Amino acid sequence: MQLAYERFLQATALPSAVRISPLMVSRLVAVRPTLQRSLEEGLPTLLPAATAALTTEFRRGTIADVFRAVTGVSPEQGDQRWNADFTPAGLLELLRQPHGAAGATALAEQAQLFTRHLREVLGDRRTAVLVDTGLFGTTQDLLAEGLPDLNISCALMVRSLRPKIAGVDPRTFGLSVEAFDYSPIRARTAVLRYWHYIEWLFEPDLPSVRTFVTEDGRVRSNLEVTGWPDRVEPAPESAFAGVLHYLDGLGPGPAEQISADADRAWRRYRRIVVWPHREDGDVLAVGTRSHDFGRAATWDQPTVHSVVAALRGNPMWREGEVARSGSPFRAPLLLALEAAHAARLARRMVRRGRRTGPGEPLQQ
Amino acid sequence: MSLAALSQAIASTPNPVVSTDLFDTVLLRDHTTETQRLAKAARRAGVLLGVDPDVVVKLRWTCHDSAYRAVAMERPGGEATLQAICRTMASAMGLDDRAAAVLLDTEVSVDIEHLRANRRLTAVLRRARTAGARVVAVSDTYYSGRELRRILNAVVGDAPIDAVYSSADLGRTKHAGGIFDLVAEAEAVPVSRILHVGDDHPADVVRARAASWVPIHLPRGGAYRAVATTGRVLGMPSRLRRLR
């Protein structure tokens, strides 16, 4: 995303007063300062953003699963409490016990190294805008909670709205789309039907940030492998190379062109994502995507293409799987999926309307 | 509350400073929605600048949304400015500051066309001023004080207002509450002597009271609200176009 932004500024000669720096961050490393804050302040449970993030990510996990993910240390066996379902208070309690000491030490060290990296990137600044490929702004929530002396907000291409978390002041903004759900009358919200493609498009082939070490007096993340900046450049003929090619072709004062191109592009994107043909399904396939947050779990593109497989479970792009199956019922199945999304949108709008009451905005 | 209540509050406060909201208080809007007015101004500016009017309309909304998002990201409780919005629009179209001035001028002109003076309120303010009260305006708006003065001169004429405080100039708003202390400091009077009249309950009453000012609520009438609701319903197609 940084590369695309820099190429856009270069091509259009538009001025920008913003200092841009790469930040080595992920939800995993962003949760550590807030966990550490809870430990250092002697709190009985985790703070709200950390609670929400870990509860969502480890809905069926044990305390041991969460401990392993956030500390990188496997818990000592022998205490059945490790195998209990994850609760924020339970995690904190075990981090404070002697048999959680190794993990607590690793957590403290990693939180300190990440905080040092962030402060090195910011220099004497206290205001930062995190630009992320994410969808919810969880990273910003966690950073703001763990490092309350900083003024951190977040810009996403697309923000999927979610119910407010008590105690969390979300300062995340979707630049192209902000919506609760896909809406058939808003072409741009089609990205919410297949977010993984946008994430895949902008994320270089580099590992997610998990750990930091000090090397020659500076903090280095596991992402910063030898030659990593070169791997940000796209492969020839790739989709991202096409993005950069378009941006490079923009001249000064491109608003008219971009406006027309964007309308056309969103309409085409919606058509392809919502009503894909078989070749669309192949072209937009992204392979394997990681769930991340310190886990090995992934979303995988099915190797066997069948309608049954497409309609079961939680695939990255159900419509694409239907198209790739080659089923003669492609059109009615896609129509049924579209109707189901429309019905879900209507149901959720009614439910939100009831919650907020008449005349009140859903969000400000 | 009513104008009689305002008059009574002015009479019973020693050496008061009377603060008034502007839009929908001193300056009454007609039935049009913001979406309709901004679209009208952008189309008119597009013709003057030789740019596709539809593009200018779209760009106006994009820059509007981006400006308020940028403020929320960088300094919550702050305010965007129309000058910055117009400069950004001109820059994005490859045009210079003269084009930005055309965009700004057109927007102010179109707004003036859809405003009329609240003569009953200005009469109360004029009497208060004659009796020795200082009258100031405090507005949550992307207009600067200079632009607000232009609008007041065009719509009200010789407005009985000694000073105009704009959230765009001060970087603080009534909605977030930060502007009240700045105005009180600039006026150098105890806050208990500042009476504030306005139509917006959260900003003009709740926030003013929280700042220890004396609020007087002066909402628009039921007839206007009915007309405005009709306008919003009729404006739904353009709002939907904007959302797409």
Side-chain angles (χ1 to χ4, degrees), chain A residues 49-69:
Chain A
T51 298
L54 293 173
T55 306
T56 304
E57 292 298 326
F58 295 90
R59 195 167 287 135
R60 293 183 190 85
T62 62
I63 293 178
D65 293 334
V66 182
F67 181 89
R68 198 177 296 114

Side-chain angles (χ1 to χ4, degrees), chain A residues 56-110:
Chain A
T56 304
E57 292 298 326
F58 295 90
R59 195 167 287 135
R60 293 183 190 85
T62 62
I63 293 178
D65 293 334
V66 182
F67 181 89
R68 198 177 296 114
V70 299
T71 66
V73 174
S74 291
E76 289 175 23
Q77 298 301 311
D79 189 332
Q80 281 308 307
R81 285 181 297 175
W82 288 112
N83 299 322
D85 289 345
F86 164 71
T87 61
L91 176 69
L92 269 190
E93 188 191 336
L94 287 175
L95 277 166
R96 288 181 175 125
Q97 300 292 323
H99 49 270
T105 303
L107 175 71
E109 184 193 19
Q110 285 300 315

Side-chain angles (χ1 to χ4, degrees), chain A residues 14-15 127-129 151-156 171 173-176 178 185-188 252-256 259-260 263, chain B residues 50-52 54-56 58-59 66 68-76 88-95 240 243-244:
Chain A
L14 286 170
T127 297
V129 178
N151 175 20
I152 298 175
S153 56
C154 179
L156 305 176
R171 291 193 48 209
F173 303 84
L175 300 188
S176 289
E178 281 202 345
I185 60 169
R186 293 180 64 193
R188 293 177 179 215
E256 278 192 83
S259 177
D263 278 351
Chain B
V51 180
D52 180 352
D54 286 342
V55 170
V56 184
K58 195 173 290 180
L59 196 57
S66 298
Y68 278 94
R69 272 196 302 247
V71 167
M73 278 184 201
E74 189 191 347
R75 44 180 199 283
T88 307
M89 288 174 69
S91 179
M93 292 186 288
L95 303 173
L240 285 173
L243 276 173
R244 268 178 212 169

Side-chain angles (χ1 to χ4, degrees), chain A residues 327-346:
Chain A
S327 166
F329 301 110
R330 181 191 73 89
L333 284 170
L334 294 179
L335 183 64
L337 289 173
E338 179 75 343
H341 277 282
R344 188 176 73 168
L345 174 74

